[in-house]
Amino acid sequence: MKTIDLIVPCYNEEEGLEHFVLETNKVIDSMPEYSFRYILVNDGSKDKTYLVMKKLAKQFSNVKYISFSRNFGKEAAMYAGLQHSTADYVVVMDADLQHPPTLFPQMADALENEGYDVCATKRDEREGESKFRGIFSKMFFALSNKLTDTKMPYGAMDFRMMKRQVVDSILELAEVQRFSKGIFSWVGFNTKWISFKTVDRQLGQTTWKFSSLFRYAIDGITCFSVAPLRFTAVMGAIIFVISLIYIMITLVQTLFFGITTPGYVTTLCAVLFLGGITEMSIGILGEYIGRIYMETKDRPIYITKFSNFEDENNEEKE
Ligand code: UDP
Ligand code: MG
């Protein structure tokens, strides 16, 4: 019998987690040819998510959990789940039922019978999403596909089912600053894309703010491409050539025609323009240096506080 691990990052999901497990169990019950296991990852929730997890683990023997010492972010939570997974097929999904478990049979079929290594999802339509966020995410996908080697269709989501081999490859990319969308496509393998219509979150709150989405987009590009650095170099070269031409024109004018303009505006424009360009280039450089710095520290991606995995004897004493 093939096994499937469900990796579920949870941050402040006390309201919806139990509902999620009960709904997912309905799908699991309809697939008796597979043996399912939950790996719930509590990403330092501020509410009682951890207690809900413990309760669920008591109630259902196939519920495993890992609880972080603080909020490390969804990427870290996914990584922890993947590290603990041992199943033949591994699913990554959200705890808010925006990723419908009803797709499991279709996903498992793609891996089992159609020869795919990954069955990933992309969204059809995002109800309740603001126009602004929609435009922003279209721009992100276009830019990131242009600048990086990793190609992903518009609306690609983290929700996917992967074969063991794919998970092992993903785990080999042990970088601290993780950008899963990029990592998933970087490792390659045969991917089947299925689309579905997302629905609004039923319970609890989304934790994404516009600033974190912006951050996410910057991460997505800088983690997989040095194109911004090349852009500053090319821009520098273009400005250099233009300056040379301008210097020659000015010199000829001054030496041969004796035109000596006061040049206040020219000077001011040049100083401000070049100052702006320089600041921006330093900023881009800094972005990469910051990344090198964080990466060389080689800190752990997450810290476990409690878990009910047998190999970690750190379960809370009652
Ligand atoms: N999540 C997490 N850590 C965080 C933020 C979110 O583990 O710091 C989890 C959250 O519990 C949920 C999933 O990531 O299962 C997606 O979060 P959310 O629904 O808030 O994002 P959205 O669906 O709006 O992209
Ligand atoms: Mg959500």
Side-chain angles (χ1 to χ4, degrees), residues 8-13 41-45 71-75 77-78 93-99 123 126 133 201 205-208 213:
V8 191
C10 304
Y11 178 61
N12 294 347
E13 301 282 3
V41 186
N42 174 25
D43 183 16
S45 299
N71 180 248
F72 281 87
K74 187 184 168 185
E75 298 287 330
M78 287 198 279
M93 68 192 303
D94 286 0
D96 54 9
L97 284 175
Q98 279 181 316
H99 296 168
R123 64 164 166 254
R126 185 139 176 161
R133 188 168 159 168
R201 180 182 251 282
Q205 295 283 314
T206 176
T207 44
W208 289 98
L213 284 172

PDB file of all heavy atoms in Angstrom, residues 8-13 41-45 71-75 77-78 93-99 123 126 133 201 205-208 213, ligand 1:
ATOM      1  N   VAL A   8       1.172  20.313   6.450  1.00  0.00           N
ATOM      2  CA  VAL A   8       0.279  21.453   6.622  1.00  0.00           C
ATOM      3  C   VAL A   8       0.903  22.495   7.544  1.00  0.00           C
ATOM      4  O   VAL A   8       0.939  22.312   8.761  1.00  0.00           O
ATOM      5  CB  VAL A   8      -1.072  20.994   7.221  1.00  0.00           C
ATOM      6  CG1 VAL A   8      -2.091  22.114   7.144  1.00  0.00           C
ATOM      7  CG2 VAL A   8      -1.588  19.746   6.550  1.00  0.00           C
ATOM      8  N   PRO A   9       1.432  23.598   6.992  1.00  0.00           N
ATOM      9  CA  PRO A   9       1.931  24.675   7.846  1.00  0.00           C
ATOM     10  C   PRO A   9       0.753  25.400   8.494  1.00  0.00           C
ATOM     11  O   PRO A   9      -0.232  25.686   7.823  1.00  0.00           O
ATOM     12  CB  PRO A   9       2.644  25.631   6.882  1.00  0.00           C
ATOM     13  CG  PRO A   9       2.579  25.003   5.536  1.00  0.00           C
ATOM     14  CD  PRO A   9       1.550  23.943   5.567  1.00  0.00           C
ATOM     15  N   CYS A  10       0.856  25.651   9.792  1.00  0.00           N
ATOM     16  CA  CYS A  10      -0.271  26.275  10.493  1.00  0.00           C
ATOM     17  C   CYS A  10       0.217  27.457  11.314  1.00  0.00           C
ATOM     18  O   CYS A  10       1.091  27.302  12.159  1.00  0.00           O
ATOM     19  CB  CYS A  10      -0.922  25.291  11.456  1.00  0.00           C
ATOM     20  SG  CYS A  10      -1.451  23.779  10.678  1.00  0.00           S
ATOM     21  N   TYR A  11      -0.347  28.595  11.052  1.00  0.00           N
ATOM     22  CA  TYR A  11      -0.038  29.769  11.872  1.00  0.00           C
ATOM     23  C   TYR A  11      -1.358  30.403  12.287  1.00  0.00           C
ATOM     24  O   TYR A  11      -2.121  30.846  11.434  1.00  0.00           O
ATOM     25  CB  TYR A  11       0.829  30.750  11.081  1.00  0.00           C
ATOM     26  CG  TYR A  11       1.164  32.011  11.845  1.00  0.00           C
ATOM     27  CD1 TYR A  11       1.888  31.948  13.029  1.00  0.00           C
ATOM     28  CD2 TYR A  11       0.746  33.242  11.382  1.00  0.00           C
ATOM     29  CE1 TYR A  11       2.189  33.086  13.737  1.00  0.00           C
ATOM     30  CE2 TYR A  11       1.053  34.402  12.084  1.00  0.00           C
ATOM     31  CZ  TYR A  11       1.772  34.314  13.265  1.00  0.00           C
ATOM     32  OH  TYR A  11       2.065  35.454  13.963  1.00  0.00           O
ATOM     33  N   ASN A  12      -1.620  30.411  13.572  1.00  0.00           N
ATOM     34  CA  ASN A  12      -2.882  30.923  14.122  1.00  0.00           C
ATOM     35  C   ASN A  12      -4.104  30.301  13.438  1.00  0.00           C
ATOM     36  O   ASN A  12      -4.934  30.999  12.878  1.00  0.00           O
ATOM     37  CB  ASN A  12      -2.938  32.452  13.990  1.00  0.00           C
ATOM     38  CG  ASN A  12      -1.885  33.133  14.841  1.00  0.00           C
ATOM     39  OD1 ASN A  12      -1.275  32.490  15.699  1.00  0.00           O
ATOM     40  ND2 ASN A  12      -1.672  34.403  14.621  1.00  0.00           N
ATOM     41  N   GLU A  13      -4.167  28.983  13.478  1.00  0.00           N
ATOM     42  CA  GLU A  13      -5.255  28.278  12.809  1.00  0.00           C
ATOM     43  C   GLU A  13      -6.170  27.559  13.794  1.00  0.00           C
ATOM     44  O   GLU A  13      -6.809  26.585  13.451  1.00  0.00           O
ATOM     45  CB  GLU A  13      -4.694  27.259  11.800  1.00  0.00           C
ATOM     46  CG  GLU A  13      -3.819  27.833  10.703  1.00  0.00           C
ATOM     47  CD  GLU A  13      -4.605  28.514   9.584  1.00  0.00           C
ATOM     48  OE1 GLU A  13      -5.847  28.588   9.682  1.00  0.00           O
ATOM     49  OE2 GLU A  13      -3.974  28.979   8.623  1.00  0.00           O
ATOM     50  N   VAL A  41       2.480  21.395  11.088  1.00  0.00           N
ATOM     51  CA  VAL A  41       3.611  22.169  11.580  1.00  0.00           C
ATOM     52  C   VAL A  41       3.097  23.472  12.177  1.00  0.00           C
ATOM     53  O   VAL A  41       2.555  24.317  11.468  1.00  0.00           O
ATOM     54  CB  VAL A  41       4.621  22.469  10.451  1.00  0.00           C
ATOM     55  CG1 VAL A  41       5.853  23.155  11.016  1.00  0.00           C
ATOM     56  CG2 VAL A  41       5.004  21.209   9.705  1.00  0.00           C
ATOM     57  N   ASN A  42       3.233  23.593  13.482  1.00  0.00           N
ATOM     58  CA  ASN A  42       2.800  24.817  14.153  1.00  0.00           C
ATOM     59  C   ASN A  42       3.923  25.845  14.097  1.00  0.00           C
ATOM     60  O   ASN A  42       4.944  25.708  14.758  1.00  0.00           O
ATOM     61  CB  ASN A  42       2.423  24.504  15.604  1.00  0.00           C
ATOM     62  CG  ASN A  42       2.118  25.765  16.382  1.00  0.00           C
ATOM     63  OD1 ASN A  42       1.732  26.786  15.804  1.00  0.00           O
ATOM     64  ND2 ASN A  42       2.308  25.707  17.685  1.00  0.00           N
ATOM     65  N   ASP A  43       3.713  26.863  13.294  1.00  0.00           N
ATOM     66  CA  ASP A  43       4.753  27.857  13.040  1.00  0.00           C
ATOM     67  C   ASP A  43       4.683  28.996  14.070  1.00  0.00           C
ATOM     68  O   ASP A  43       4.442  30.141  13.723  1.00  0.00           O
ATOM     69  CB  ASP A  43       4.550  28.382  11.612  1.00  0.00           C
ATOM     70  CG  ASP A  43       5.614  29.382  11.201  1.00  0.00           C
ATOM     71  OD1 ASP A  43       6.645  29.432  11.877  1.00  0.00           O
ATOM     72  OD2 ASP A  43       5.392  30.098  10.213  1.00  0.00           O
ATOM     73  N   GLY A  44       4.879  28.640  15.339  1.00  0.00           N
ATOM     74  CA  GLY A  44       4.902  29.655  16.401  1.00  0.00           C
ATOM     75  C   GLY A  44       3.621  30.457  16.511  1.00  0.00           C
ATOM     76  O   GLY A  44       3.673  31.676  16.661  1.00  0.00           O
ATOM     77  N   SER A  45       2.474  29.775  16.435  1.00  0.00           N
ATOM     78  CA  SER A  45       1.188  30.477  16.510  1.00  0.00           C
ATOM     79  C   SER A  45       1.027  31.207  17.829  1.00  0.00           C
ATOM     80  O   SER A  45       1.526  30.764  18.864  1.00  0.00           O
ATOM     81  CB  SER A  45       0.042  29.473  16.367  1.00  0.00           C
ATOM     82  OG  SER A  45       0.118  28.829  15.137  1.00  0.00           O
ATOM     83  N   ASN A  71       7.692  32.000  15.355  1.00  0.00           N
ATOM     84  CA  ASN A  71       7.231  32.054  13.971  1.00  0.00           C
ATOM     85  C   ASN A  71       8.433  32.138  13.026  1.00  0.00           C
ATOM     86  O   ASN A  71       9.195  33.100  13.060  1.00  0.00           O
ATOM     87  CB  ASN A  71       6.307  33.264  13.788  1.00  0.00           C
ATOM     88  CG  ASN A  71       5.795  33.369  12.373  1.00  0.00           C
ATOM     89  OD1 ASN A  71       6.149  34.291  11.649  1.00  0.00           O
ATOM     90  ND2 ASN A  71       4.988  32.426  11.939  1.00  0.00           N
ATOM     91  N   PHE A  72       8.625  31.082  12.228  1.00  0.00           N
ATOM     92  CA  PHE A  72       9.743  31.073  11.283  1.00  0.00           C
ATOM     93  C   PHE A  72       9.272  31.301   9.853  1.00  0.00           C
ATOM     94  O   PHE A  72      10.071  31.351   8.934  1.00  0.00           O
ATOM     95  CB  PHE A  72      10.505  29.742  11.360  1.00  0.00           C
ATOM     96  CG  PHE A  72      11.447  29.653  12.529  1.00  0.00           C
ATOM     97  CD1 PHE A  72      11.006  29.201  13.763  1.00  0.00           C
ATOM     98  CD2 PHE A  72      12.775  30.012  12.398  1.00  0.00           C
ATOM     99  CE1 PHE A  72      11.877  29.116  14.841  1.00  0.00           C
ATOM    100  CE2 PHE A  72      13.651  29.931  13.467  1.00  0.00           C
ATOM    101  CZ  PHE A  72      13.203  29.487  14.694  1.00  0.00           C
ATOM    102  N   GLY A  73       7.976  31.375   9.646  1.00  0.00           N
ATOM    103  CA  GLY A  73       7.457  31.592   8.298  1.00  0.00           C
ATOM    104  C   GLY A  73       7.023  30.306   7.622  1.00  0.00           C
ATOM    105  O   GLY A  73       7.465  29.214   7.982  1.00  0.00           O
ATOM    106  N   LYS A  74       6.130  30.440   6.660  1.00  0.00           N
ATOM    107  CA  LYS A  74       5.558  29.286   5.983  1.00  0.00           C
ATOM    108  C   LYS A  74       6.623  28.442   5.268  1.00  0.00           C
ATOM    109  O   LYS A  74       6.532  27.217   5.233  1.00  0.00           O
ATOM    110  CB  LYS A  74       4.502  29.770   4.983  1.00  0.00           C
ATOM    111  CG  LYS A  74       3.738  28.658   4.340  1.00  0.00           C
ATOM    112  CD  LYS A  74       2.779  29.159   3.279  1.00  0.00           C
ATOM    113  CE  LYS A  74       2.270  27.986   2.469  1.00  0.00           C
ATOM    114  NZ  LYS A  74       1.436  28.359   1.347  1.00  0.00           N
ATOM    115  N   GLU A  75       7.629  29.112   4.723  1.00  0.00           N
ATOM    116  CA  GLU A  75       8.674  28.392   4.003  1.00  0.00           C
ATOM    117  C   GLU A  75       9.394  27.419   4.937  1.00  0.00           C
ATOM    118  O   GLU A  75       9.634  26.271   4.585  1.00  0.00           O
ATOM    119  CB  GLU A  75       9.691  29.379   3.420  1.00  0.00           C
ATOM    120  CG  GLU A  75       9.122  30.347   2.422  1.00  0.00           C
ATOM    121  CD  GLU A  75       8.797  29.681   1.100  1.00  0.00           C
ATOM    122  OE1 GLU A  75       9.468  28.698   0.744  1.00  0.00           O
ATOM    123  OE2 GLU A  75       7.854  30.123   0.429  1.00  0.00           O
ATOM    124  N   ALA A  77       8.225  26.233   7.697  1.00  0.00           N
ATOM    125  CA  ALA A  77       7.283  25.200   8.121  1.00  0.00           C
ATOM    126  C   ALA A  77       7.182  24.099   7.066  1.00  0.00           C
ATOM    127  O   ALA A  77       7.155  22.907   7.384  1.00  0.00           O
ATOM    128  CB  ALA A  77       5.917  25.826   8.385  1.00  0.00           C
ATOM    129  N   MET A  78       7.153  24.498   5.806  1.00  0.00           N
ATOM    130  CA  MET A  78       7.093  23.498   4.743  1.00  0.00           C
ATOM    131  C   MET A  78       8.351  22.635   4.744  1.00  0.00           C
ATOM    132  O   MET A  78       8.292  21.426   4.583  1.00  0.00           O
ATOM    133  CB  MET A  78       6.940  24.178   3.374  1.00  0.00           C
ATOM    134  CG  MET A  78       5.563  24.746   3.136  1.00  0.00           C
ATOM    135  SD  MET A  78       5.267  25.040   1.400  1.00  0.00           S
ATOM    136  CE  MET A  78       6.071  26.583   1.153  1.00  0.00           C
ATOM    137  N   MET A  93       0.073  21.514   1.612  1.00  0.00           N
ATOM    138  CA  MET A  93      -1.198  22.247   1.504  1.00  0.00           C
ATOM    139  C   MET A  93      -1.435  23.167   2.684  1.00  0.00           C
ATOM    140  O   MET A  93      -0.835  23.011   3.739  1.00  0.00           O
ATOM    141  CB  MET A  93      -2.364  21.264   1.362  1.00  0.00           C
ATOM    142  CG  MET A  93      -2.624  20.437   2.597  1.00  0.00           C
ATOM    143  SD  MET A  93      -3.753  19.054   2.309  1.00  0.00           S
ATOM    144  CE  MET A  93      -5.201  19.870   1.687  1.00  0.00           C
ATOM    145  N   ASP A  94      -2.312  24.168   2.487  1.00  0.00           N
ATOM    146  CA  ASP A  94      -2.647  25.119   3.551  1.00  0.00           C
ATOM    147  C   ASP A  94      -3.699  24.534   4.491  1.00  0.00           C
ATOM    148  O   ASP A  94      -4.451  23.632   4.107  1.00  0.00           O
ATOM    149  CB  ASP A  94      -3.200  26.410   2.962  1.00  0.00           C
ATOM    150  CG  ASP A  94      -2.121  27.254   2.319  1.00  0.00           C
ATOM    151  OD1 ASP A  94      -0.948  26.823   2.348  1.00  0.00           O
ATOM    152  OD2 ASP A  94      -2.454  28.321   1.787  1.00  0.00           O
ATOM    153  N   ALA A  95      -3.781  25.116   5.677  1.00  0.00           N
ATOM    154  CA  ALA A  95      -4.695  24.608   6.685  1.00  0.00           C
ATOM    155  C   ALA A  95      -6.080  25.241   6.598  1.00  0.00           C
ATOM    156  O   ALA A  95      -6.964  24.914   7.377  1.00  0.00           O
ATOM    157  CB  ALA A  95      -4.117  24.852   8.071  1.00  0.00           C
ATOM    158  N   ASP A  96      -6.277  26.166   5.651  1.00  0.00           N
ATOM    159  CA  ASP A  96      -7.531  26.924   5.674  1.00  0.00           C
ATOM    160  C   ASP A  96      -8.556  26.422   4.660  1.00  0.00           C
ATOM    161  O   ASP A  96      -9.519  27.116   4.345  1.00  0.00           O
ATOM    162  CB  ASP A  96      -7.244  28.413   5.459  1.00  0.00           C
ATOM    163  CG  ASP A  96      -6.427  28.663   4.204  1.00  0.00           C
ATOM    164  OD1 ASP A  96      -6.247  27.712   3.425  1.00  0.00           O
ATOM    165  OD2 ASP A  96      -5.972  29.796   4.009  1.00  0.00           O
ATOM    166  N   LEU A  97      -8.314  25.225   4.113  1.00  0.00           N
ATOM    167  CA  LEU A  97      -9.209  24.599   3.124  1.00  0.00           C
ATOM    168  C   LEU A  97      -9.318  25.403   1.832  1.00  0.00           C
ATOM    169  O   LEU A  97     -10.219  25.176   1.033  1.00  0.00           O
ATOM    170  CB  LEU A  97     -10.604  24.344   3.711  1.00  0.00           C
ATOM    171  CG  LEU A  97     -10.685  23.146   4.662  1.00  0.00           C
ATOM    172  CD1 LEU A  97     -12.066  23.055   5.276  1.00  0.00           C
ATOM    173  CD2 LEU A  97     -10.334  21.842   3.975  1.00  0.00           C
ATOM    174  N   GLN A  98      -8.378  26.326   1.619  1.00  0.00           N
ATOM    175  CA  GLN A  98      -8.336  26.992   0.316  1.00  0.00           C
ATOM    176  C   GLN A  98      -7.706  26.056  -0.711  1.00  0.00           C
ATOM    177  O   GLN A  98      -7.805  26.284  -1.909  1.00  0.00           O
ATOM    178  CB  GLN A  98      -7.533  28.291   0.411  1.00  0.00           C
ATOM    179  CG  GLN A  98      -8.349  29.431   0.982  1.00  0.00           C
ATOM    180  CD  GLN A  98      -7.558  30.712   1.060  1.00  0.00           C
ATOM    181  OE1 GLN A  98      -6.401  30.717   1.471  1.00  0.00           O
ATOM    182  NE2 GLN A  98      -8.180  31.806   0.676  1.00  0.00           N
ATOM    183  N   HIS A  99      -7.024  25.041  -0.212  1.00  0.00           N
ATOM    184  CA  HIS A  99      -6.470  24.003  -1.079  1.00  0.00           C
ATOM    185  C   HIS A  99      -7.329  22.757  -0.893  1.00  0.00           C
ATOM    186  O   HIS A  99      -7.179  22.053   0.097  1.00  0.00           O
ATOM    187  CB  HIS A  99      -5.018  23.714  -0.695  1.00  0.00           C
ATOM    188  CG  HIS A  99      -4.097  24.886  -0.902  1.00  0.00           C
ATOM    189  ND1 HIS A  99      -2.830  24.919  -0.403  1.00  0.00           N
ATOM    190  CD2 HIS A  99      -4.287  26.039  -1.582  1.00  0.00           C
ATOM    191  CE1 HIS A  99      -2.262  26.067  -0.755  1.00  0.00           C
ATOM    192  NE2 HIS A  99      -3.134  26.763  -1.460  1.00  0.00           N
ATOM    193  N   ARG A 123      -4.114  28.485  -9.802  1.00  0.00           N
ATOM    194  CA  ARG A 123      -5.475  28.926  -9.554  1.00  0.00           C
ATOM    195  C   ARG A 123      -6.104  29.433 -10.840  1.00  0.00           C
ATOM    196  O   ARG A 123      -5.448  29.983 -11.725  1.00  0.00           O
ATOM    197  CB  ARG A 123      -5.519  29.976  -8.476  1.00  0.00           C
ATOM    198  CG  ARG A 123      -4.814  31.234  -8.869  1.00  0.00           C
ATOM    199  CD  ARG A 123      -5.178  32.382  -7.995  1.00  0.00           C
ATOM    200  NE  ARG A 123      -4.219  33.437  -8.230  1.00  0.00           N
ATOM    201  CZ  ARG A 123      -3.273  33.752  -7.380  1.00  0.00           C
ATOM    202  NH1 ARG A 123      -3.157  33.101  -6.249  1.00  0.00           N
ATOM    203  NH2 ARG A 123      -2.425  34.707  -7.659  1.00  0.00           N
ATOM    204  N   ARG A 126      -9.160  33.995  -8.508  1.00  0.00           N
ATOM    205  CA  ARG A 126      -9.031  34.167  -7.068  1.00  0.00           C
ATOM    206  C   ARG A 126     -10.136  35.078  -6.611  1.00  0.00           C
ATOM    207  O   ARG A 126     -10.066  36.285  -6.756  1.00  0.00           O
ATOM    208  CB  ARG A 126      -7.662  34.732  -6.731  1.00  0.00           C
ATOM    209  CG  ARG A 126      -7.462  34.816  -5.253  1.00  0.00           C
ATOM    210  CD  ARG A 126      -6.077  34.386  -4.885  1.00  0.00           C
ATOM    211  NE  ARG A 126      -5.908  34.566  -3.452  1.00  0.00           N
ATOM    212  CZ  ARG A 126      -4.977  33.981  -2.754  1.00  0.00           C
ATOM    213  NH1 ARG A 126      -4.151  33.172  -3.327  1.00  0.00           N
ATOM    214  NH2 ARG A 126      -4.874  34.202  -1.474  1.00  0.00           N
ATOM    215  N   ARG A 133      -3.902  43.422  -6.092  1.00  0.00           N
ATOM    216  CA  ARG A 133      -3.092  42.246  -5.810  1.00  0.00           C
ATOM    217  C   ARG A 133      -2.975  41.369  -7.057  1.00  0.00           C
ATOM    218  O   ARG A 133      -1.932  40.780  -7.329  1.00  0.00           O
ATOM    219  CB  ARG A 133      -3.718  41.459  -4.654  1.00  0.00           C
ATOM    220  CG  ARG A 133      -2.829  40.336  -4.185  1.00  0.00           C
ATOM    221  CD  ARG A 133      -3.299  39.741  -2.878  1.00  0.00           C
ATOM    222  NE  ARG A 133      -2.750  38.395  -2.743  1.00  0.00           N
ATOM    223  CZ  ARG A 133      -2.766  37.686  -1.627  1.00  0.00           C
ATOM    224  NH1 ARG A 133      -3.315  38.184  -0.552  1.00  0.00           N
ATOM    225  NH2 ARG A 133      -2.253  36.496  -1.583  1.00  0.00           N
ATOM    226  N   ARG A 201     -11.035  32.193   2.325  1.00  0.00           N
ATOM    227  CA  ARG A 201     -10.725  31.529   3.582  1.00  0.00           C
ATOM    228  C   ARG A 201     -11.996  31.483   4.434  1.00  0.00           C
ATOM    229  O   ARG A 201     -12.674  32.492   4.609  1.00  0.00           O
ATOM    230  CB  ARG A 201      -9.651  32.367   4.243  1.00  0.00           C
ATOM    231  CG  ARG A 201      -9.145  31.915   5.530  1.00  0.00           C
ATOM    232  CD  ARG A 201      -8.127  32.949   5.995  1.00  0.00           C
ATOM    233  NE  ARG A 201      -6.770  32.425   5.925  1.00  0.00           N
ATOM    234  CZ  ARG A 201      -6.275  31.598   6.828  1.00  0.00           C
ATOM    235  NH1 ARG A 201      -6.993  31.187   7.826  1.00  0.00           N
ATOM    236  NH2 ARG A 201      -5.032  31.162   6.722  1.00  0.00           N
ATOM    237  N   GLN A 205      -7.874  34.337   9.805  1.00  0.00           N
ATOM    238  CA  GLN A 205      -7.464  35.502   9.022  1.00  0.00           C
ATOM    239  C   GLN A 205      -6.269  35.165   8.156  1.00  0.00           C
ATOM    240  O   GLN A 205      -5.427  34.384   8.548  1.00  0.00           O
ATOM    241  CB  GLN A 205      -7.035  36.625   9.985  1.00  0.00           C
ATOM    242  CG  GLN A 205      -8.136  37.163  10.855  1.00  0.00           C
ATOM    243  CD  GLN A 205      -9.027  38.097  10.085  1.00  0.00           C
ATOM    244  OE1 GLN A 205      -8.561  38.960   9.373  1.00  0.00           O
ATOM    245  NE2 GLN A 205     -10.340  37.901  10.204  1.00  0.00           N
ATOM    246  N   THR A 206      -6.205  35.791   6.982  1.00  0.00           N
ATOM    247  CA  THR A 206      -4.973  35.645   6.215  1.00  0.00           C
ATOM    248  C   THR A 206      -3.909  36.499   6.880  1.00  0.00           C
ATOM    249  O   THR A 206      -4.196  37.543   7.456  1.00  0.00           O
ATOM    250  CB  THR A 206      -5.148  36.044   4.739  1.00  0.00           C
ATOM    251  OG1 THR A 206      -3.860  35.966   4.104  1.00  0.00           O
ATOM    252  CG2 THR A 206      -5.693  37.443   4.590  1.00  0.00           C
ATOM    253  N   THR A 207      -2.668  35.999   6.830  1.00  0.00           N
ATOM    254  CA  THR A 207      -1.608  36.695   7.546  1.00  0.00           C
ATOM    255  C   THR A 207      -0.764  37.537   6.609  1.00  0.00           C
ATOM    256  O   THR A 207       0.187  38.163   7.021  1.00  0.00           O
ATOM    257  CB  THR A 207      -0.705  35.688   8.257  1.00  0.00           C
ATOM    258  OG1 THR A 207      -0.436  34.626   7.342  1.00  0.00           O
ATOM    259  CG2 THR A 207      -1.381  35.145   9.488  1.00  0.00           C
ATOM    260  N   TRP A 208      -1.123  37.519   5.313  1.00  0.00           N
ATOM    261  CA  TRP A 208      -0.306  38.251   4.345  1.00  0.00           C
ATOM    262  C   TRP A 208      -0.727  39.702   4.265  1.00  0.00           C
ATOM    263  O   TRP A 208      -1.878  40.022   4.085  1.00  0.00           O
ATOM    264  CB  TRP A 208      -0.449  37.614   2.971  1.00  0.00           C
ATOM    265  CG  TRP A 208       0.217  36.301   2.890  1.00  0.00           C
ATOM    266  CD1 TRP A 208      -0.378  35.081   3.026  1.00  0.00           C
ATOM    267  CD2 TRP A 208       1.598  36.041   2.661  1.00  0.00           C
ATOM    268  NE1 TRP A 208       0.554  34.096   2.892  1.00  0.00           N
ATOM    269  CE2 TRP A 208       1.764  34.654   2.678  1.00  0.00           C
ATOM    270  CE3 TRP A 208       2.707  36.865   2.453  1.00  0.00           C
ATOM    271  CZ2 TRP A 208       3.003  34.060   2.479  1.00  0.00           C
ATOM    272  CZ3 TRP A 208       3.935  36.261   2.263  1.00  0.00           C
ATOM    273  CH2 TRP A 208       4.074  34.872   2.277  1.00  0.00           C
ATOM    274  N   LEU A 213       3.928  40.608   0.783  1.00  0.00           N
ATOM    275  CA  LEU A 213       3.868  40.127  -0.598  1.00  0.00           C
ATOM    276  C   LEU A 213       4.973  40.763  -1.440  1.00  0.00           C
ATOM    277  O   LEU A 213       5.574  40.116  -2.289  1.00  0.00           O
ATOM    278  CB  LEU A 213       2.505  40.448  -1.218  1.00  0.00           C
ATOM    279  CG  LEU A 213       1.374  39.551  -0.760  1.00  0.00           C
ATOM    280  CD1 LEU A 213       0.043  40.070  -1.275  1.00  0.00           C
ATOM    281  CD2 LEU A 213       1.599  38.129  -1.236  1.00  0.00           C
TER     282      LEU A 213
HETATM  283  N1  UDP B   1       1.356  30.165   7.526  1.00  0.00           N
HETATM  284  C1  UDP B   1       2.464  29.751   8.265  1.00  0.00           C
HETATM  285  N2  UDP B   1       3.327  30.695   8.760  1.00  0.00           N
HETATM  286  C2  UDP B   1       3.144  32.030   8.555  1.00  0.00           C
HETATM  287  C3  UDP B   1       2.040  32.426   7.774  1.00  0.00           C
HETATM  288  C4  UDP B   1       1.176  31.481   7.276  1.00  0.00           C
HETATM  289  O1  UDP B   1       2.675  28.563   8.471  1.00  0.00           O
HETATM  290  O2  UDP B   1       3.960  32.811   9.035  1.00  0.00           O
HETATM  291  C5  UDP B   1       0.421  29.152   6.988  1.00  0.00           C
HETATM  292  C6  UDP B   1      -1.048  29.376   7.315  1.00  0.00           C
HETATM  293  O3  UDP B   1      -1.400  28.806   8.547  1.00  0.00           O
HETATM  294  C7  UDP B   1      -1.750  28.688   6.159  1.00  0.00           C
HETATM  295  C8  UDP B   1      -0.794  28.907   5.012  1.00  0.00           C
HETATM  296  O4  UDP B   1       0.479  29.199   5.581  1.00  0.00           O
HETATM  297  O5  UDP B   1      -1.912  27.297   6.369  1.00  0.00           O
HETATM  298  C9  UDP B   1      -1.239  30.024   4.080  1.00  0.00           C
HETATM  299  O6  UDP B   1      -1.483  31.199   4.802  1.00  0.00           O
HETATM  300  P1  UDP B   1      -2.681  32.185   4.473  1.00  0.00           P
HETATM  301  O7  UDP B   1      -3.946  31.423   4.275  1.00  0.00           O
HETATM  302  O8  UDP B   1      -2.652  33.227   5.546  1.00  0.00           O
HETATM  303  O9  UDP B   1      -2.184  32.811   3.096  1.00  0.00           O
HETATM  304  P2  UDP B   1      -2.990  33.000   1.718  1.00  0.00           P
HETATM  305  O10 UDP B   1      -3.919  31.833   1.559  1.00  0.00           O
HETATM  306  O11 UDP B   1      -3.689  34.295   1.853  1.00  0.00           O
HETATM  307  O12 UDP B   1      -1.909  33.008   0.690  1.00  0.00           O
END
